[in-house]
Amino acid sequence: MSFKALLEALPIPILQAPMAGAVSDAMAVAVSQAGGMGGLPLAGVSPDEIAAAVDGVRARTAAPFAANLLMAPPLRPQAVELDAALARLATWYAELGLPLPDHPNRFSHDFEAQLDALNRAAPPVASFSFSVLTRAQVDALHEVGSYVVGSVNTVAEAIAWAEVGADGVCAQGFEAGGHHGHFLADIEASSVGTMALVATVLKAVDLPVIAAGGIMDGRGVAAALALGASAAQMGSAFLLADEATTGPIWQQAIRDAGPDATRLTRAFSGRYARGLENRFVREMRAIQDEVPAYPVQNRLTQPMRAAAGKSGDPELMSLWAGQAVKLAQSGPAGELVQRWWREAQETAQALAARTAARPAKT
Ligand SMILES: Cc1cc2nc3c(=O)[nH]c(=O)nc-3n(C[C@H](O)[C@H](O)[C@H](O)COP(=O)(O)O)c2cc1C
C-alpha cells in the first residue's frame, strides 16, 4: 500500500503532531484508536529506550501511528563558547536561585544511534524534522516496513525529501507552534503560511502532503483537505487535551493568553520556535541571534526551564504554542479528533451548498 493510500484509508484524516514534552503515549494511542493517526515524539528518548516506546504504542493499538525524531546536529562547542552562552543566562539562573550548570557532556541524544534504534523498532510511519535523511537511511527504513515522512517549511525542502525517496512530506506553515524545522534557508525565507506552503509543495512534488500549522478544528481540517492535503496534522489543538503532558502552568498560560500572544524565538533552544511570549522571550530578543545553535542552547536552558516549571513561573518556561492556540479545547484526545471530523464534514456540506451552481443572474 502506498503512503497516500494509507492516509486515504484512515477513518479520520487527522494526524496528532508528535510534540516532545507535550504528548504522552496514551494520547498517541487514543488518537489512533479513534481513527486518526497518533504521533509519538522520540526526540528526548534515548536509543536504548526507543524500541520499548514504539512497542508500547504498538501493543495498545493495531492502527497506524507515527514515531518522530528531531535530527539534532552533533555540535561540539568550544569551552569559551559555552562560557559565553552561560554568562548570557547567569541572571536568569540567579533569579531562580540556581547555580549555573556545568558544561554538559552531551547536548542531545546521538541522532545516528536513535535512528538505528528506530530502524530496529520499525514503526508504521517514521517522521523527521530539522534536516533530511540520506537515500540510504530512507531505504533502510523502507526495508523494515516503515513509511518515511519529512517535515518541510519550503518547497526546496519538499524537493530535497522527494529526492531521497520519502513517502510523504509534512508541510509546516509559519503559524505552527513549537520548533520550525527549516533546514535549507534562514528563518525569514522559510516563513511561509500553511495555505501558500501546502499549495506550492503540492505543485512541486508528486508526494502526499500533510498540512500543519494553525489547524485547530474541523473548519481547518476541511480547509487543508480542500487545498489538496491528504491529511491535517494538528499540534496546538491537543495542548489542553486530557492526555497532554503540558501540565497546569503551561495550560493556564494558554488559557490566560491574550489574542496574538505567540512569537518566534531562538532564545530558549538556538532554533526558532513559536510559543507564548513571556519575559524570557521579550528580554532575550535583542541577543537571541548570539546564542549557540540547537541543541546547545536547548541543553543549557534545560535546568532553568525545569526549575521554572517546578516553581510555577511561566515567565522562564518555553510555552510552545501555535498562532491559533486560543482555539484549543480540553477533553479526551480521541473525542476531540472525532468532534473535529464531524465539524469538517459539516463544513464541507455547508460549503458545497454555498458553492453549488446557481442560475446565472440576467
Ligand atoms: C509543544 C510542541 C512540541 C512540538 N514538538 C515537536 C517534535 O518533537 N517534533 C516535531 O516534528 N514537531 C514538533 N512540533 C511541531 C508540530 O509537529 C507541528 O508542526 C505543529 O504543532 C503544527 O502547528 P500547530 O501547533 O499550529 O498545530 C511541536 C509543536 C508543539 C506545539
Side-chain angles (χ1 to χ4, degrees):
M1 189 197 281
S2 69
F3 182 57
K4 191 173 169 61
L6 178 130
L7 291 174
E8 285 172 357
L10 285 175
I12 299 179
I14 294 177
L15 274 57
Q16 163 254 311
M19 296 186 286
V23 167
S24 60
D25 50 358
M27 183 189 287
V29 170
V31 171
S32 286
Q33 287 292 76
M37 194 194 287
L40 186 65
L42 295 174
V45 179
S46 75
D48 292 346
E49 293 164 333
I50 281 181
V54 172
D55 287 345
V57 175
R58 195 168 11 228
R60 289 155 70 194
T61 177
F65 64 93
N68 172 264
L69 285 177
L70 299 176
M71 299 178 67
L75 299 183
R76 299 268 173 275
Q78 304 281 319
V80 52
E81 194 189 342
L82 290 175
D83 286 337
L86 287 168
R88 280 184 215 103
L89 296 171
T91 54
W92 301 97
Y93 273 97
E95 196 176 303
L96 289 162
L98 283 182
L100 272 178
D102 294 333
H103 292 185
N105 294 326
R106 61 177 175 76
F107 298 92
S108 64
H109 293 295
D110 176 52
F111 173 70
E112 299 284 335
Q114 284 182 312
L115 183 60
D116 283 350
L118 195 66
N119 261 282
R120 288 192 294 278
V125 179
S127 74
F128 300 88
S129 285
F130 296 2
S131 188
V132 58
L133 294 178
T134 63
R135 181 169 274 277
Q137 289 169 327
V138 172
D139 289 349
L141 283 161
H142 284 162
E143 266 166 40
V144 299
S146 298
Y147 294 106
V148 178
V149 174
S151 179
V152 305
N153 294 67
T154 62
V155 168
E157 290 172 357
I159 292 170
W161 272 103
E163 282 174 354
V164 297
D167 302 288
V169 291
C170 178
Q172 185 196 42
F174 176 72
E175 298 91 327
H179 282 102
H180 287 204
H182 66 105
F183 55 91
L184 289 181
D186 66 19
I187 185 67
E188 192 187 353
S190 309
S191 293
V192 185
T194 304
M195 195 177 254
L197 185 64
V198 170
T200 51
V201 166
L202 270 165
K203 191 153 190 247
V205 296
D206 186 19
L207 288 176
V209 174
I210 299 156
I215 303 170
M216 298 298 293
D217 55 24
R219 296 169 302 170
V221 174
L225 298 183
L227 269 179
S230 293
Q233 177 163 297
M234 303 166 75
S236 298
F238 288 98
L239 294 176
L240 301 181
D242 292 355
E243 299 88 342
T245 56
T246 33
I249 313 295
W250 192 348
Q251 295 199 347
Q252 194 56 44
I254 291 172
R255 293 196 172 92
D256 291 346
D260 314 314
T262 71
R263 296 291 181 275
L264 274 179
T265 180
R266 201 176 169 274
F268 279 114
S269 73
R271 176 177 257 285
Y272 278 99
R274 182 178 295 286
L276 297 178
E277 186 179 44
N278 57 11
R279 197 157 57 81
F280 187 82
V281 172
R282 262 192 311 277
E283 295 185 13
M284 288 290 285
R285 182 164 293 130
I287 55 165
Q288 66 173 345
D289 289 340
E290 295 165 26
V291 310
Y294 183 95
V296 176
Q297 179 77 354
N298 196 52
R299 178 70 186 82
L300 297 181
T301 62
Q302 209 168 48
M304 176 193 89
R305 289 180 284 135
K310 266 196 194 134
S311 67
D313 182 357
E315 299 299 328
L316 278 70
M317 292 168 63
S318 46
L319 304 165
W320 302 138
Q323 282 184 328
V325 72
K326 289 300 288 181
L327 300 175
Q329 298 162 358
S330 54
E335 283 181 21
L336 290 176
V337 166
Q338 285 170 343
R339 184 191 310 159
W340 295 327
W341 186 233
R342 279 195 304 276
E343 283 173 10
Q345 290 170 317
E346 286 160 15
T347 303
Q349 280 159 11
L351 204 54
R354 193 165 165 205
T355 54
R358 294 183 195 139
K361 280 193 182 144
T362 49

